[in-house]
Amino acid sequence: MEIKTMRFGVLTEKGHAEVRERPLPEMGPDEVLVKQEACNICTTDYQQWLGQREGRGYPMASGHESAGTVVAVGEKVLDLKPGDRVALAYVTCGICDSCKRGRGCTNNEIGPKKISPDGYRGMFAYADYAVRPARALIKMNPSLSPSEAAFMEPLAAVVKGLDKLRVKPLETVVVVGAGTMGLLNAQAARAMGCRVIVSELMEHKLQVAREMGFEVMDGSACDPVQEIMRLTDGKGADAAILAVAATKVNQQALDLVKHVDGRILFFGAAYPTPAIDIDSNVIHYRRLELIGTFGADLTDFCTAADMLNQGVVQVAPLIEKNKYSLDHIQEAFAEAATPGKFRVSVLL
């Protein structure tokens, strides 16, 4: 059966997502037709739905945490075949200086910043079918559910951050925040041989962290700094990963890490923007490292795929039980935007 159209979810304004239909783009020789099976709602997506990221523009055919099955391949595609389960990495141009150096693409005519000829922004990840460049797709273990395989993108962002943080086996790492990204960071750091302590305020998230086997710290029932000092014999953590963004968390992190050569990774973002107040002499004399991270490179996607495919990182506990069809994408965004939720998956 020839597939001529695609149905897709689109944000049209603050608080409103709907389903539309458009002609399916023609598949080129280096491209792949994918039957997309699941797309998980990322924080970026539901923040725009909430009106916190209006600068991204409308109409936004958003989404980027997606997985599906190959339907057909172009004549120059050699590494994929119909029936392969794949997940979506970033769409890159492959020719800009940044791509050539193995870094993130800076070409605004490619990927999520591109505006389609019919006026849509985004990557059309909440769609039943899509045509993708073969270089943007990575094979996934078919034993993973589509919703699990779709975690490749957020896990790739975690891999990028841990690479910048330079974690080493036997180091103590404090992960602040036991949401989806916090527990992905915690699992990946543990897989790299670190001792991981997870700090969280919400009891149900603390319980999930416990069930994953982590040392946990209830930040509402203790002084986090004092507790970390107790757990590390007064030394402090080698590194802290801030998977939530808040002014209070930013300030506490300065005291969670060891006095000299401590490292802090600012993984999360928030709106309005949190602040941090620190004397530059403190950074100087303590040799503190304040590290930012965002996105991922292709090598990070490959590592993330390996972690999922080999079962090193388990993501099933991070998927909400309620799953939504494409026709109910508005309800899906409403649940995803509810505080305390893990990933909400839209089945396509």
Side-chain angles (χ1 to χ4, degrees), residues 259-280:
H259 188 71
V260 177
D261 290 329
R263 311 186 309 275
I264 302 171
L265 181 70
F266 294 84
F267 188 89
Y271 297 86
T273 306
I276 183 168
D277 181 18
I278 183 170
D279 186 328
S280 62

Side-chain angles (χ1 to χ4, degrees), residues 229-255:
M229 289 302 164
R230 184 185 71 81
L231 293 171
T232 59
D233 297 324
K235 298 175 183 177
D238 295 285
I241 299 172
L242 309 188
V244 293
T247 298
K248 185 176 181 179
V249 169
N250 290 347
Q251 295 302 136
Q252 283 182 337
L254 302 173
D255 297 320

Side-chain angles (χ1 to χ4, degrees), residues 105-116 120-123:
C105 183
T106 57
N107 188 340
N108 288 338
E109 298 303 312
I110 300 294
K113 295 181 180 179
K114 180 180 179 180
I115 300 178
S116 66
Y120 291 99
R121 302 168 184 269
M123 297 175 66

Side-chain angles (χ1 to χ4, degrees), residues 217-234:
M217 178 176 66
D218 184 348
S220 66
C222 68
D223 181 308
V225 175
Q226 291 181 4
E227 183 65 5
I228 288 300
M229 289 302 164
R230 184 185 71 81
L231 293 171
T232 59
D233 297 324

Side-chain angles (χ1 to χ4, degrees), residues 40 147 151 180 204-205 315-324 335-336 338-345:
N40 300 334
S147 300
F151 270 81
T180 302
H204 76 281
K205 289 185 177 181
V315 296
L318 305 179
I319 303 170
E320 291 292 338
K321 292 181 179 179
N322 288 335
K323 296 182 176 64
Y324 296 84
E335 179 168 351
T338 303
K341 294 292 182 179
F342 289 107
R343 279 298 191 264
V344 171
S345 192

Side-chain angles (χ1 to χ4, degrees), residues 294-311:
F294 175 73
D297 302 328
L298 190 55
T299 182
D300 304 315
F301 281 101
C302 292
T303 300
D306 287 342
M307 285 182 162
L308 290 171
N309 289 338
Q310 296 173 25

Side-chain angles (χ1 to χ4, degrees), residues 34-251:
V34 180
K35 178 179 173 56
Q36 301 189 140
E37 295 167 325
C39 185
N40 300 334
I41 299 180
C42 170
T43 306
T44 301
D45 295 342
Y46 75 68
Q47 283 180 339
Q48 183 172 4
W49 185 86
L50 286 169
Q52 296 172 348
R53 296 201 181 200
E54 297 284 81
R56 299 179 77 218
Y58 298 102
M60 173 60 72
S62 57
H64 50 268
E65 299 183 8
S66 72
T69 299
V70 173
V71 175
V73 301
E75 59 188 27
K76 292 185 179 180
V77 178
L78 303 177
D79 59 334
L80 295 171
K81 64 183 185 303
D84 283 343
R85 169 67 59 73
V86 292
L88 178 64
Y90 294 157
V91 178
T92 60
C93 72
I95 59 175
C96 69
D97 286 345
S98 188
C99 279
K100 289 177 180 179
R101 295 176 184 273
R103 300 299 180 186
C105 183
T106 57
N107 188 340
N108 288 338
E109 298 303 312
I110 300 294
K113 295 181 180 179
K114 180 180 179 180
I115 300 178
S116 66
D118 48 355
Y120 291 99
R121 302 168 184 269
M123 297 175 66
F124 293 93
Y126 299 106
D128 53 2
Y129 290 93
V131 173
R132 304 291 189 193
R135 64 180 179 274
L137 299 171
I138 296 178
K139 288 184 184 180
M140 302 302 293
N141 191 327
S143 68
L144 295 167
S145 73
S147 300
E148 290 172 317
F151 270 81
M152 184 188 71
E153 189 277 338
L155 184 54
V158 166
V159 171
K160 165 57 64 182
L162 291 176
D163 179 62
K164 294 196 70 177
L165 193 58
R166 306 186 316 280
V167 295
K168 297 185 288 292
L170 305 181
E171 285 192 321
T172 296
V173 176
V174 176
V175 177
V176 182
T180 302
M181 301 312 300
L183 291 178
L184 283 180
N185 269 287
Q187 289 192 73
R190 181 170 62 185
M192 294 177 180
C194 297
R195 175 195 181 190
V196 179
I197 303 170
V198 176
S199 176
E200 173 58 53
L201 301 177
M202 294 185 179
E203 177 53 37
H204 76 281
K205 289 185 177 181
L206 284 166
Q207 184 57 34
V208 173
R210 291 188 192 99
E211 292 170 357
M212 288 182 169
F214 290 109
E215 293 181 73
V216 301
M217 178 176 66
D218 184 348
S220 66
C222 68
D223 181 308
V225 175
Q226 291 181 4
E227 183 65 5
I228 288 300
M229 289 302 164
R230 184 185 71 81
L231 293 171
T232 59
D233 297 324
K235 298 175 183 177
D238 295 285
I241 299 172
L242 309 188
V244 293
T247 298
K248 185 176 181 179
V249 169
N250 290 347
Q251 295 302 136

